[in-house]
Amino acid sequence: MQGHFLTTLCKESERKTLLEFKQSLQAQDSSGNDVLSSWKSEECCVWVGVSCNNLTGYVEKLDFRSRFKDVAGTISSSLLKLHQLRLLDLSYNDFNESVIPEFFGSLKILRYLDLSNANFGGPIPSNLGNLSMLETFRLGGNGEGLFYRHNIVNTFTVGKLEWLSHLSFIRELDLSFVSLSSANDWSQVINKLPFLEELSLSHCDLPSISPSSFSFTNFSTSLTSLDLSGNSLTSSFVYPWLFNVSSNLVSLDLSMNQLKGPIPEAFGNMITMQELYLSHNQLEGEIFKSFGNMCSLAFLDMESNHLSTFGIVQNTSLSCTSYSLRELSLAYNQLKGNSVLNEITKLPSLSVLDLGYNLLNGTIKESIGQLPNLKVFRLAGNAFDNVVISEAHFSNLTENFGSYWFWNSFDSLVYLNTSFNQINGTLPNEILDRRHLDLSSNHFSGPLPVALYSLWSLNLSKNKFTGSSLYVLDLSYNLFSSEVPGCIAEFERWKVLNLADNSLSGPIPSSLGSLDSLQMLSLRGNKFSGELPSSLHNCKMLKFLDLSDNELSGEIPKWIGQSLSSLVFLSLRRNQFKGTYVDEALLTWKGTKQRYEKILGLLLAIDLSCNKLTGEIPEELTNLQQLIALNLSRNSLIGKIPQKIGQLRQLEVLDLSRNKFSSNIPTSLSELTFLSTLDLSYNYLSGKIPTGRQLQLFDPSSYSHNQGLCGPPVSPYCSMVEPTQFMKWFYTGTGLGFAVGFWGFCSVVFFKRSWRHSYYRFLDNTKDWLYVSFILMKARLMKRIKALPTSCRR
């Protein structure tokens, strides 16, 4: 929490106290940096985590929520000098299981104390009961939200809770994951807190007490949220008092207990209830028989019980609940038949529905399409054999699964899981409108949809898909991370695999070598590391290979020149490849002119810039007479520029900048008539710039930082002594060279008409959509090129 605009500067005494606190704490963030390094200015009220009273300048709030990864040392008792401190938040940090400082009990005007999820441990100081002004006290392992509560063990222990009864103004109390097994007085103490609104005692190992001694009558009207999950509480203990304190309950969590038998009808009297969690118990019978009057109920979780009947059709009084309910989980129960799907249509406001792992069967009918707001639909673990249900038990699903009405009925659906069923048939193209799709472990067969552009996650494993219709998988420009699974190569017919611009890491899977039909592979803009797998030499049909902007290392393999005879575009830019350029990188491209024309006759673009390549450029490279763009910049190449480079008659982009080339610029370079971008800067070139049709038209920055070069456009003449003042002017354009150079490189490669014609020749025998996919990718590349940095740094 950052300080606001102040009318009064912070007190000097407050500033000194905070610096003392900082010195003792030694807190670091996830990168090992001092979290409080900004605590240097004179105005302490604008320091990170500090807020002051605008009028007095006294510190009132210290909010360090989620700021510390590692905390060494101890929390200094100097905080006691902050006499106006009203809020202290240390939640979601890591205090290495250190004990809660006892002096916290002397911060007597605190209104808000949050120590949850901070990895404190040991006994809880009983003098915290001195904080009589406290309104919010969070000590649990799950201070906010359900996502944390199953990942934390009991770290606190406590004996008697009598001290807690002194917090008479407390409104929110969170003791979740605090072991109360020895606190036999817990119910009596809780009952002495008359203003309590939110109470969490989740996973507290509550000791057994008689129902008659347990009463929340003192705050029966104030309590709005109650969490008693994970305590093995029985029905005989819970029900007698629950319905006496429920008049204003908004949220109730009784999950992971030992509730048994039918659902009590008294639940229907909780008319203010919005969230009800009863999962992981042993409830049985009908579901909705007891919920008729809960007109505010929006979230109902009854997963993992023994429920067998839905009960909506029989219950005519369910009208108000049916329109309020938005999320419903009934997974892992004993629901049978297919009537459930008919009853589900009585809940038109549902956005999340989980019926997975039941005993459902039958046919999904068109009436299921009456759920227009459904976004997450999970039917896994049943036994359907015909439409869209995962792991259920429907029969005749084949016809319905592929029918237009089903997919067209769920405009908002983003997650669909129909795995582990017996569904068969083919897939319609309408599935492409989903975001997350799991159809694994069924009996689907036939061809797959032609493209899967809009999907974010897809699981089609363990089916019987065949055919050759799936040509393109484009998952580029997403937020995918971690390693690429080897099973990605199971679709052997792929022609296009585009995973560019994500955060994928690890080695490139060797299984990609089994994609012998692959014509385009783009892994650009990820975090792949290691060497190139030798199995890629099996992809002999590759025409487009872009592995740029990764962390690949090792030597550029020989098989690129030996096996990839159809290659049109090659980019290994911005990696960590090394080795002698002649002997390792292009050794296999050396040979006669006829060999070049046979092996790499279609190669139009090479980008090996921003690596660690050494050695000389082989003269044989000049036999690649179809080459349009060559970028070898920012390596450590030496020797002469090949004398026959002028044989590359189609060359439009040449970038050899920032290497160690020496000697003269070959005169044959002046013979190139299509050259539009040239960068030879930052080398050791010398002599006169050859006179020709184009070389004198380039900006002087194309030749800058070659101290031995002379002649136009660098200077008007050549002599042993150059006018030093004249030399200064062309260095001003140095920074422009690289940006313009690579812009020219990419623009020619992707937008030059002659290149396009050569590149798209191989599309003639494929579907029209494949051509369209390349057009779309080309548009994306245009945006990316405009944002390119002018260095090799990522």
Side-chain angles (χ1 to χ4, degrees):
M1 186 179 298
Q2 193 73 23
H4 302 289
F5 177 78
L6 302 175
T7 58
T8 302
L9 297 179
C10 72
K11 301 294 184 181
E12 179 60 24
S13 59
E14 306 281 278
R15 184 177 185 275
K16 290 181 179 180
T17 297
L18 291 174
L19 290 176
E20 186 177 346
F21 166 77
K22 172 190 174 183
Q23 186 176 4
S24 67
L25 199 58
Q26 302 175 28
Q28 296 179 335
D29 63 14
S30 58
S31 301
N33 301 317
D34 182 4
V35 178
L36 306 180
S37 60
S38 63
W39 286 22
K40 296 177 181 179
S41 65
E42 293 296 323
E43 182 47 72
C44 66
C45 291
V46 297
W47 289 354
V48 172
V50 179
S51 293
C52 300
N53 185 288
N54 289 352
L55 299 177
T56 66
Y58 285 112
V59 175
E60 292 188 335
K61 299 179 181 180
L62 291 180
D63 186 353
F64 301 123
R65 178 184 176 87
S66 302
R67 295 191 185 277
F68 307 142
K69 178 181 182 293
D70 296 304
V71 181
T74 58
I75 300 176
S76 173
S77 60
S78 61
L79 290 182
L80 291 174
K81 301 176 184 179
L82 301 176
H83 299 295
Q84 299 300 315
L85 189 63
R86 286 169 167 75
L87 180 149
L88 179 60
D89 191 342
L90 300 175
S91 63
Y92 292 90
N93 290 296
D94 187 356
F95 285 89
N96 300 306
E97 298 186 5
S98 60
V99 297
I100 298 174
E102 289 201 12
F103 75 83
F104 278 8
S106 299
L107 299 171
K108 294 186 178 181
I109 69 167
L110 272 183
R111 265 66 166 182
Y112 185 106
L113 178 60
D114 193 344
L115 306 179
S116 64
N117 297 288
N119 198 16
F120 284 109
I124 300 175
S126 60
N127 68 347
L128 291 180
N130 297 332
L131 304 178
S132 58
M133 305 297 292
L134 208 58
E135 297 179 359
T136 296
F137 184 25
R138 295 177 182 167
L139 198 57
N142 63 316
E144 292 186 5
L146 298 173
F147 298 105
Y148 300 93
R149 60 181 57 176
H150 303 304
N151 299 320
I152 304 174
V153 297
N154 297 97
T155 57
F156 287 121
T157 57
V158 66
K160 297 293 183 178
L161 281 178
E162 191 277 333
W163 58 270
L164 195 61
S165 63
H166 300 290
L167 306 182
S168 55
F169 291 101
I170 200 73
R171 296 181 179 275
E172 179 183 350
L173 177 62
D174 181 3
L175 297 179
S176 58
F177 290 90
V178 174
S179 177
L180 299 179
S181 59
S182 299
N184 294 320
D185 61 341
W186 68 271
S187 62
Q188 293 90 341
V189 170
I190 296 297
N191 200 42
K192 294 178 181 179
L193 306 176
F195 300 108
L196 194 61
E197 297 176 0
E198 299 181 31
L199 173 63
S200 178
L201 298 177
S202 173
H203 292 82
C204 287
D205 194 16
L206 294 174
S208 299
I209 59 176
S210 64
S212 61
S213 63
F214 185 66
S215 174
F216 285 167
T217 56
N218 281 0
F219 51 80
S220 60
T221 58
S222 64
L223 194 65
T224 60
S225 177
L226 177 61
D227 185 352
L228 296 176
S229 61
N231 283 295
S232 300
L233 301 177
T234 63
S235 302
S236 60
F237 172 79
V238 173
Y239 294 153
W241 58 263
L242 174 62
F243 302 116
N244 292 325
V245 301
S246 59
S247 59
N248 291 308
L249 274 180
V250 173
S251 176
L252 174 63
D253 192 343
L254 295 175
S255 61
M256 288 175 280
N257 281 292
Q258 296 183 18
L259 305 181
K260 298 180 180 180
I263 303 172
E265 294 185 10
F267 273 109
N269 298 325
M270 297 181 174
I271 59 176
T272 59
M273 189 69 68
Q274 297 179 15
E275 299 179 2
L276 180 59
Y277 304 87
L278 298 175
S279 66
H280 294 86
N281 283 286
Q282 301 174 45
L283 299 170
E284 58 188 36
E286 288 189 5
I287 299 171
F288 282 98
K289 181 179 180 180
S290 305
F291 300 146
N293 297 322
M294 303 176 73
C295 299
S296 299
L297 191 64
F299 187 101
L300 178 60
D301 184 359
M302 304 198 68
E303 177 180 316
S304 298
N305 280 282
H306 303 313
L307 301 167
S308 58
T309 307
F310 211 54
I312 291 183
V313 172
Q314 294 84 355
N315 188 4
T316 58
S317 64
L318 188 64
S319 57
C320 69
T321 303
S322 65
Y323 284 99
S324 64
L325 198 61
R326 286 171 172 75
E327 298 187 26
L328 175 62
S329 178
L330 299 174
Y332 296 96
N333 278 284
Q334 299 177 9
L335 298 174
K336 301 177 181 179
N338 67 346
S339 62
V340 169
L341 293 182
N342 294 328
E343 297 178 76
I344 285 292
T345 61
K346 306 294 184 179
L347 305 172
S349 298
L350 278 182
S351 62
V352 177
L353 174 61
D354 189 350
L355 298 176
Y357 297 90
N358 279 280
L359 302 173
L360 301 174
N361 56 48
T363 301
I364 297 179
K365 299 181 179 179
E366 295 190 19
S367 58
I368 194 68
Q370 298 174 16
L371 299 176
N373 300 308
L374 198 61
K375 294 183 179 179
V376 175
F377 191 17
R378 185 171 180 263
L379 291 165
N382 286 279
F384 295 113
D385 61 3
N386 197 352
V387 180
V388 174
I389 308 289
S390 127
E391 302 178 10
H393 294 297
F394 287 110
S395 60
N396 303 321
L397 287 181
T398 306
E399 178 182 356
N400 290 331
F401 194 94
S403 62
Y404 176 78
W405 69 261
F406 182 86
W407 295 99
N408 195 48
S409 297
F410 300 104
D411 293 335
S412 302
L413 191 65
V414 296
Y415 175 84
L416 176 65
N417 187 335
T418 68
S419 60
F420 292 92
N421 278 284
Q422 301 172 19
I423 307 174
N424 54 67
T426 59
L427 298 183
N429 286 329
E430 285 81 3
I431 67 170
L432 303 182
D433 295 331
R434 314 305 136 201
R435 288 295 180 266
H436 306 276
L437 183 63
D438 188 348
L439 308 180
S440 61
S441 299
N442 280 285
H443 301 304
F444 290 113
S445 60
L448 288 170
V450 295
L452 301 169
Y453 295 114
S454 63
L455 284 174
W456 292 354
S457 65
L458 172 65
N459 189 350
L460 301 179
S461 62
K462 297 183 180 180
N463 277 284
K464 301 177 182 179
F465 289 113
T466 59
S468 58
S469 64
L470 183 60
Y471 290 96
V472 174
L473 178 61
D474 187 350
L475 300 177
S476 60
Y477 293 88
N478 279 287
L479 300 174
F480 294 119
S481 58
S482 74
E483 297 186 6
V484 176
C487 61
I488 196 172
E490 290 183 2
F491 298 102
E492 299 178 353
R493 300 281 185 176
W494 270 346
K495 295 182 182 294
V496 174
L497 177 57
N498 187 1
L499 303 178
D501 292 282
N502 282 284
S503 296
L504 300 169
S505 59
I508 296 175
S510 59
S511 59
L512 292 182
S514 64
L515 302 176
D516 54 7
S517 298
L518 197 63
Q519 299 184 28
M520 172 187 170
L521 176 61
S522 179
L523 305 179
R524 181 197 68 242
N526 283 285
K527 300 177 182 179
F528 289 111
S529 58
E531 299 183 355
L532 296 183
S534 60
S535 60
L536 286 179
H537 83 277
N538 296 321
C539 302
K540 300 183 185 300
M541 299 181 66
L542 265 181
K543 294 176 172 61
F544 185 103
L545 179 59
D546 189 350
L547 306 178
S548 60
D549 293 281
N550 280 286
E551 299 171 7
L552 300 170
S553 58
E555 298 171 339
I556 299 178
K558 299 177 182 180
W559 51 259
I560 290 182
Q562 291 175 332
S563 303
L564 306 185
S565 58
S566 300
L567 206 60
V568 171
F569 177 85
L570 172 66
S571 180
L572 305 179
R573 167 184 171 81
R574 285 190 186 174
N575 280 284
Q576 301 176 26
F577 291 113
K578 59 183 180 180
T580 303
Y581 190 77
V582 174
D583 296 335
E584 303 296 341
L586 291 179
L587 180 64
T588 55
W589 291 350
K590 297 177 65 175
T592 63
K593 178 178 180 180
Q594 289 73 23
R595 173 176 170 81
Y596 266 91
E597 292 175 347
K598 180 179 180 181
I599 300 298
L600 292 168
L602 292 176
L603 190 61
L604 302 178
I606 299 176
D607 185 355
L608 303 179
S609 62
C610 295
N611 281 289
K612 300 177 181 179
L613 301 176
T614 59
E616 299 182 6
I617 300 178
E619 192 73 23
E620 289 81 357
L621 181 66
T622 61
N623 291 329
L624 296 176
Q625 295 190 9
Q626 298 298 316
L627 202 63
I628 294 176
L630 176 63
N631 188 350
L632 305 177
S633 65
R634 298 182 181 244
N635 283 286
S636 297
L637 302 175
I638 61 174
K640 300 179 180 180
I641 298 175
Q643 292 298 316
K644 297 182 180 179
I645 196 169
Q647 292 183 3
L648 303 177
R649 301 292 186 184
Q650 306 299 319
L651 200 64
E652 297 188 29
V653 174
L654 177 62
D655 191 346
L656 303 179
S657 64
R658 296 179 185 268
N659 280 286
K660 299 178 181 180
F661 293 116
S662 57
S663 191
N664 299 332
I665 297 176
T667 57
S668 64
L669 192 63
S670 64
E671 300 173 6
L672 299 179
T673 57
F674 297 107
L675 199 62
S676 60
T677 300
L678 174 67
D679 194 347
L680 303 177
S681 62
Y682 288 87
N683 280 289
Y684 299 105
L685 299 172
S686 59
K688 182 179 180 181
I689 298 175
T691 303
R693 303 177 182 179
Q694 288 186 295
L695 298 188
Q696 279 67 46
L697 302 179
F698 290 107
D699 190 272
S701 62
S702 297
Y703 307 98
S704 68
H705 290 80
N706 286 284
Q707 296 184 1
L709 286 178
C710 60
V714 170
S715 61
Y717 56 91
C718 280
S719 67
M720 295 301 296
V721 180
E722 286 289 332
T724 57
Q725 294 298 322
F726 182 81
M727 293 293 292
K728 292 180 180 179
W729 67 272
F730 70 82
Y731 290 118
T732 59
T734 299
L736 183 64
F738 181 80
V740 173
F742 193 72
W743 163 258
F745 175 82
C746 292
S747 63
V748 169
V749 168
F750 293 103
F751 309 109
K752 171 69 177 175
R753 178 181 300 176
S754 61
W755 186 90
R756 287 201 308 270
H757 290 170
S758 298
Y759 191 159
Y760 288 122
R761 277 199 297 267
F762 82 94
L763 298 177
D764 291 343
N765 296 324
T766 62
K767 304 291 185 182
D768 291 340
W769 51 262
L770 186 59
Y771 177 86
V772 172
S773 72
F774 280 93
I775 297 297
L776 293 175
M777 192 190 73
K778 185 175 67 174
R780 295 175 185 170
L781 285 169
M782 170 66 85
K783 296 179 180 179
R784 177 174 177 268
I785 290 168
K786 292 181 178 179
L788 276 175
T790 58
S791 73
C792 291
R793 290 179 294 181
R794 293 173 178 80

